Amino acid sequence: LCFELSGVYGGVDRGWFPSKVLMRMICLMSWVLFPLALAAQQPYPASVGTIAIAGASETLLEVVPIQPGDILSPEALRLSIQALFEAGAFGRINVDASESPDGTTALTFIVEEPYFLATVILSPATLLERPISNYLNLPHGERFSRTQLDAIVTAVSEQLVREGYFQADIRPTYEVNEQSRLVTVTVGVSVGSPARIRTLDFEGGEQTFSAAELENAFGEEVGDDFVVERLEAGTESIRSEFADLGFLNTVVDFVESYDGVENVVDLSVVVQPGPFTLVQVRGYDLEDATLRDLIPVFEEGSVDPDLIEEGSAGLLEYLRREGFFEASVRAELIAAPRDNAFQVNYLVDSGERYSVREVRIEGHRFFDDEFLYDAIGISRNGLFSRGVFSPDLLEDAADTIER
């Protein structure tokens, strides 16, 4: 009685069998063939005597539900094999039965080591711009099973849809290296033409930008191939346009409707403008371009407490590098629900401005002075600079010297 629950049969270049069919075959083996054979030949006594395991530790028998003295039945064997498979993740489990001198049946579970996934190859390899491993989180090195193969096929199918191939025919095969126990999966794909965009509509955002401006920012138009990666870049571009005007937390998404008869997609881009957000620095004059570089709420397009605090840290580091070594920064968030707006204030106490008079590195004898001074990033004042220093730079300099 042989159960191959992992779906690895032995041999080379297997074809594709749905997992449900495989499980039905196993059920037929356990529920029909085995009882019929017992009824026809009556080869073994019905009572279980000794139980052993070959190919693995005897301690695994603790998980086997069938025990000496139990009645031998297909159901008991099925549950025992299932328990061993789940405990040891074996590639194959056979059961050997023989009659003992005391009139009972001696059972030996013979297990084989599992197979492991080595690599996944997409055929044709030129179908996508990059190898399939660049798109998917493939379970390389993990135990190979029918469930794993199903998951790989599903992931490849979803990625092909993202590339516009809604009608792809996928036929996986795999080859096993019995010596290394490694499996190479080849996902053969037959695709037609990619779907194209038939219609393109914009919902929301018209009070701020015209439909033509939204389409220009989106970058895609009717007749283009449906490629999710480009569409996501388009939605991000629209979101950035709103963020540049101060409308943070703007949500931009697209909804597609696929027509399988004509192989086209009707696309709707939905824009939900976020609240207007005013960001100000008080207590220190800062150029707008510098403010946008330092405060991540602009880059992320989101009013988030963590991002606001990250902006405080960035602003403080900037001030210290400018010579304000004792500066402090405090952020405050003011909400105006009636106006659907926020205001973020960064309250700065810059303190005195210092310059770096001297930088010394003492105690070393393995490097030239200039080599270390160039590496640490701290510099003294010069003709066009008051020097560069901050507590963070000081810690980084110490780490650099240690390395």
Side-chain angles (χ1 to χ4, degrees), residues 10 23 37 53 97 142 168 186 211 223 232 240 251 294-295 315 318 327 336 345 370 387 403:
M23 294 310 297
I53 187 169
E142 295 184 11
T186 300
E232 290 175 342
S240 296
V251 177
L294 296 175
I295 309 302
L315 183 55
Y318 171 82
N345 296 324
E370 292 305 318
R403 287 196 301 271

Side-chain angles (χ1 to χ4, degrees), residues 163-207:
E163 299 292 327
Y165 299 108
F166 286 83
Q167 300 176 347
D169 181 23
I170 302 177
R171 297 181 180 272
T173 58
Y174 53 88
E175 296 181 0
V176 174
N177 185 318
E178 296 291 349
Q179 184 175 2
S180 65
R181 314 294 292 181
L182 295 178
V183 179
T184 298
V185 175
T186 300
V187 183
V189 179
S190 175
V191 297
S193 301
R196 295 185 177 274
I197 300 174
R198 177 170 60 184
T199 61
L200 176 60
D201 298 317
F202 293 89
E203 300 179 13
E206 296 87 350
Q207 294 181 347

Side-chain angles (χ1 to χ4, degrees), residues 30 59 69 95 132 176 217 280 294 313 348 381:
S30 64
T59 58
V95 182
I132 189 64
V176 174
Q280 290 184 332
L294 296 175
V348 174
N381 59 350

Side-chain angles (χ1 to χ4, degrees), residues 2 12 16 45 48 67 89 91 125 141 163 166 221 243 253 255 283 286 297 322 342 379 398 403:
C2 175
V12 178
W16 168 251
V48 178
Q67 296 294 320
E163 299 292 327
F166 286 83
E221 57 186 25
D253 203 354
V255 179
L286 199 64
V297 296
E322 289 294 305
F342 289 101
S379 62
R403 287 196 301 271

Side-chain angles (χ1 to χ4, degrees), residues 143-316:
R143 183 184 61 83
F144 180 69
S145 66
R146 175 63 57 184
T147 300
Q148 187 188 74
L149 184 60
D150 290 343
I152 291 172
V153 171
T154 299
V156 171
S157 176
E158 292 174 350
Q159 180 59 41
L160 291 175
V161 169
R162 288 178 58 87
E163 299 292 327
Y165 299 108
F166 286 83
Q167 300 176 347
D169 181 23
I170 302 177
R171 297 181 180 272
T173 58
Y174 53 88
E175 296 181 0
V176 174
N177 185 318
E178 296 291 349
Q179 184 175 2
S180 65
R181 314 294 292 181
L182 295 178
V183 179
T184 298
V185 175
T186 300
V187 183
V189 179
S190 175
V191 297
S193 301
R196 295 185 177 274
I197 300 174
R198 177 170 60 184
T199 61
L200 176 60
D201 298 317
F202 293 89
E203 300 179 13
E206 296 87 350
Q207 294 181 347
T208 307
F209 296 100
S210 66
E213 290 173 324
L214 291 173
E215 184 172 354
N216 182 64
F218 189 56
E220 301 293 307
E221 57 186 25
V222 172
D224 288 345
D225 290 345
F226 176 87
V227 180
V228 170
E229 187 175 355
R230 295 208 310 251
L231 300 180
E232 290 175 342
T235 58
E236 177 61 25
S237 177
I238 293 177
R239 192 179 66 86
S240 296
E241 293 291 332
F242 278 86
D244 288 343
L245 294 182
F247 294 97
L248 306 184
N249 288 5
T250 295
V251 177
V252 185
D253 203 354
F254 62 87
V255 179
E256 76 271 11
S257 177
Y258 176 66
D259 184 343
V261 176
E262 299 187 20
N263 194 30
V264 292
V265 173
D266 295 318
L267 199 63
S268 179
V269 179
V270 182
V271 182
Q272 302 176 34
F276 178 76
T277 304
L278 178 64
V279 180
Q280 290 184 332
V281 176
R282 298 182 177 180
Y284 185 82
D285 291 332
L286 199 64
E287 294 183 357
D288 186 65
T290 304
L291 174 65
R292 288 180 172 272
D293 289 339
L294 296 175
I295 309 302
V297 296
F298 293 106
E299 181 180 357
E300 299 295 332
S302 173
V303 181
D304 178 88
D306 291 338
L307 292 176
I308 292 174
E309 288 304 316
E310 188 177 334
S312 295
L315 183 55
L316 182 59

Side-chain angles (χ1 to χ4, degrees), residues 366-383:
F366 299 103
F367 301 98
D368 294 335
D369 288 352
E370 292 305 318
F371 175 81
L372 289 179
Y373 286 128
D374 290 342
I376 64 174
I378 299 176
S379 62
R380 67 177 185 176
N381 59 350
L383 184 60

